[in-house]
Amino acid sequence: MASIGSKLKVLLILGSIRDGRQGIKVAKFVRKKLEERNFEVTFYDLLAMNFPMVKQPVHFYGPKRTGAPQNLLDCEKQIRDVDAFVIVSAEYNNSIPASLKNFLDTFPDGSYGFKPSGLVCYSMGPYGGYCSSTSLRTIMGVLASPCVSRVLAIPFVQDAIDEDGKPINEKLNSEVDPMLQQLEWMANATKNHRLKDGLPTSSFMFGS
C-alpha cells in the first residue's frame, strides 16, 4: 500500500478568532500529539491568517477558478493535498464559530472528499463544548469528510492546558489517543483506496 511507511498529511484548523480565545492552547497541544504520531501537520489559525469573510466560494468561480483570489486558491490546493483534517472548535450558542463555518463553506465537497476528520472541542465550563462537535459532524459529513467516532472534549479548558500547549492535567495525553488512533487508521485506509480507485466524482454536489 502506498501510504505504508510514508507520513500522513493532516490539516489542523483552529476555528475561533475571538479575543481571549482558549483555542490556541488546545491547537498547540493537538499539533504536538499529531507530530508524535508522525503526521505531517499544516496548521491553519484563522485569526493569524486573517481569513476573510467570503462572499463567493472558490467553486463559484468555475472549474478553472477564473478570477478567484490567490489566497483561496492556495488554501484549496492544500485542502486537496492532505489526507485528513483535525478541527479545534469552541462552542458558540450550541454550535460552531461563524469564522469556522465561513472557512469550511469556502471550498467544495470535492476538495475535502473522502478524507476523515477528527474533532476537538472545548469550553470553560463542564461540558467541553460538545455541542459544537454535533454541528461539525453534520457539516463535515456533507463535505464528504466523515468524522471518526471518538471526540476529544476538554471541559474547564482554562485549567487544563497551559499557554505553551502543555497539559496541566496529564489525563489529556491519553484522552486524545482514541480519536487520533481512529483518524490514523481511517486516513491510511482512505488514502490507499483513493490511490487505487480514485474518487466517485459523481457523488459530489460541487465536484472535485
Side-chain angles (χ1 to χ4, degrees), residues 11-196:
L11 179 59
L12 173 63
I13 304 166
L14 172 57
S16 174
I17 63 172
R18 282 188 179 178
D19 291 344
R21 62 186 181 154
Q22 297 286 319
I24 189 65
K25 302 190 299 184
V26 179
K28 289 177 181 177
F29 165 70
V30 174
R31 180 172 189 167
K32 181 179 179 182
K33 301 306 290 186
L34 285 164
E35 289 172 344
E36 286 176 357
R37 297 189 74 90
N38 206 35
F39 280 94
E40 181 180 324
V41 181
T42 298
F43 178 40
Y44 278 11
D45 177 351
L46 301 186
L47 176 61
M49 295 168 67
N50 195 25
F51 194 83
M53 180 58 68
V54 175
K55 297 181 179 179
Q56 183 155 286
V58 292
H59 42 288
F60 284 20
Y61 288 92
K64 295 185 177 180
R65 305 295 191 253
T66 304
Q70 188 60 48
N71 63 329
L72 301 188
L73 294 175
D74 292 342
C75 287
E76 184 183 28
K77 183 179 184 301
Q78 287 186 308
I79 290 170
R80 291 181 182 276
D81 190 48
V82 299
D83 304 303
F85 306 94
V86 174
I87 301 174
V88 175
S89 181
E91 178 184 326
Y92 296 165
N93 299 321
N94 284 7
S95 188
I96 65 172
S99 51
L100 178 56
K101 186 66 163 64
N102 170 65
F103 172 83
L104 294 172
D105 287 346
T106 299
F107 309 100
D109 52 358
S111 298
Y112 299 95
F114 299 98
K115 303 167 188 177
S117 50
L119 305 180
V120 180
C121 53
Y122 62 91
S123 73
M124 297 180 72
Y127 302 112
Y130 202 82
C131 286
S132 65
S133 73
T134 60
S135 295
L136 280 167
R137 285 192 183 282
T138 300
I139 295 165
M140 298 309 293
V142 170
L143 291 174
S145 176
C147 301
V148 298
S149 67
R150 297 298 292 269
V151 174
L152 176 63
I154 307 174
F156 302 110
V157 64
Q158 69 275 19
D159 301 320
I161 304 174
D162 70 17
E163 295 299 324
D164 296 321
K166 183 179 179 180
I168 298 169
N169 183 346
E170 288 296 326
K171 285 178 61 180
L172 273 180
N173 284 316
S174 58
E175 289 173 347
V176 70
D177 285 341
M179 183 273 286
L180 294 181
Q181 288 170 356
Q182 289 186 347
L183 186 76
E184 185 173 12
W185 193 96
M186 288 291 293
N188 269 310
T190 54
K191 178 178 181 179
N192 287 326
H193 202 61
R194 287 197 312 275
L195 291 172
K196 179 177 179 289

